[in-house]
Amino acid sequence: NRRMPEYLERGVDVKFTDVAGLGKIRLELEEIVKFFTHGGILLCGPPGVGKTLLAKAVAGEAGVNFFSISASQFVEIYVGVGASRVRALYQEARDNAPSVVFIDELDAVGRERGLIKGSGGQERDATLNQLLVSLDGFEGRGEVITIASTNRPDILDPALVRPGRFDRKIFIPKPGLIGRMEILQVHARKKPMAEDLDYMAVASMTDGMVGAELANIVEIAAINMMRDGRTEMIVSRSIWFLLTTDDLLQAAQIEER
Ligand code: ATP
């Protein structure tokens, strides 16, 4: 039975400014950071919109430790193993409080009980029960908050979303035009971008894309620039050519494929 510290991250340096296109959601999250009293928050939304990044930013802004695990890692073949993992995780979180526990893909374990037949279902139910017990253990104490992500809030066991558990749902939709522009700009911060780069043009060409894909576009453009030899080394200092609107548009086409 493995211990959990490999999921612990101290000194998280992600901040809200690293997560773009949040709009009003940001205010809600700032409140959570300020009071740090809430038991459970459910981040709902499609893959790649920045749920993990956001959970990390909450820990980074609050200056607390961050534990993350994917719920699918809880579920084991042997009955009781998942439950003991949940217990160990919360023990660690408590020992390292204040902390944020982030559970990715909550639906993997939080699906309504009894829907799965056979022994796999039994293990999953035991794991879910332990998670409920662990969530309740922090009631009103505000030293460990749990943030979970799912793109299927509709299939979660009703017990999970009861008051005091994951009673706060925050929906993170795919970014709109302005959101996409802001996400591209966040990822451009650490890259050599042309000053006149038309982020709006790239945002208009990437309708339907999420943050993970937009981040990828900036990466691809930078990699293409290196591959083309568009950097020069002058004594140990590299002088970069600047990335242009065209570079990003080309990268967007590659990402789309
Ligand atoms: P999944 O459900 O697939 O785990 P997710 O919603 O948790 O997806 P993240 O893993 O947080 O998405 O996003 C992957 C990467 O995409 C982030 O590390 C970040 O680089 C980029 N990204 C996603 N959304 C945003 C955003 N709103 N602002 C800035 N970067 C973003």
Side-chain angles (χ1 to χ4, degrees), residues 18-20 46-53 104 183 186-187 211-212 215:
D18 296 312
V19 196
V49 291
K51 301 184 292 297
T52 308
L53 191 65
D104 202 5
I183 293 170
V186 160
H187 288 275

Side-chain angles (χ1 to χ4, degrees), residues 124-140:
R124 236 264 336 266
D125 290 355
T127 309
L128 175 56
N129 283 331
Q130 180 57 50
L131 180 60
L132 294 172
V133 168
S134 295
L135 285 169
D136 290 345
F138 291 102
E139 225 170 346

Side-chain angles (χ1 to χ4, degrees), residues 136 139 158-168:
D136 290 345
E139 225 170 346
L160 268 174
V161 291
R162 232 165 256 156
R165 293 174 183 162
F166 292 105
D167 50 7
R168 197 164 201 181

Side-chain angles (χ1 to χ4, degrees), residues 170-183:
I170 300 178
F171 285 89
I172 307 181
K174 283 191 176 190
L177 181 66
I178 303 294
R180 291 197 300 279
M181 188 185 72
E182 289 174 1
I183 293 170

Side-chain angles (χ1 to χ4, degrees), residues 86-218:
V86 173
R87 243 190 331 267
L89 172 67
Y90 275 92
Q91 188 56 54
E92 289 277 337
R94 211 184 305 244
D95 290 347
N96 291 277
S99 54
V100 168
V101 168
F102 176 67
I103 303 175
D104 202 5
E105 303 173 71
L106 179 66
D107 39 289
V109 68
R111 199 177 283 259
E112 196 161 353
R113 277 166 292 191
L115 288 186
I116 293 178
K117 298 201 173 67
S119 59
Q122 209 186 339
E123 154 64 359
R124 236 264 336 266
D125 290 355
T127 309
L128 175 56
N129 283 331
Q130 180 57 50
L131 180 60
L132 294 172
V133 168
S134 295
L135 285 169
D136 290 345
F138 291 102
E139 225 170 346
R141 290 219 266 146
E143 50 191 16
V144 175
I145 60 176
T146 305
I147 302 180
S149 83
T150 180
N151 56 358
R152 291 302 307 275
D154 54 310
I155 59 165
L156 291 181
D157 196 283
L160 268 174
V161 291
R162 232 165 256 156
R165 293 174 183 162
F166 292 105
D167 50 7
R168 197 164 201 181
K169 271 193 212 143
I170 300 178
F171 285 89
I172 307 181
K174 283 191 176 190
L177 181 66
I178 303 294
R180 291 197 300 279
M181 188 185 72
E182 289 174 1
I183 293 170
L184 288 165
Q185 283 170 334
V186 160
H187 288 275
R189 281 189 315 210
K190 287 174 193 147
K191 296 279 190 305
M193 310 307 269
E195 248 169 51
D196 62 350
L197 202 138
D198 190 352
Y199 291 97
M200 198 42 119
V202 184
S204 346
M205 295 296 289
T206 48
D207 192 22
M209 285 198 190
V210 293
E213 291 163 309
L214 296 164
N216 228 3
I217 287 175
V218 178

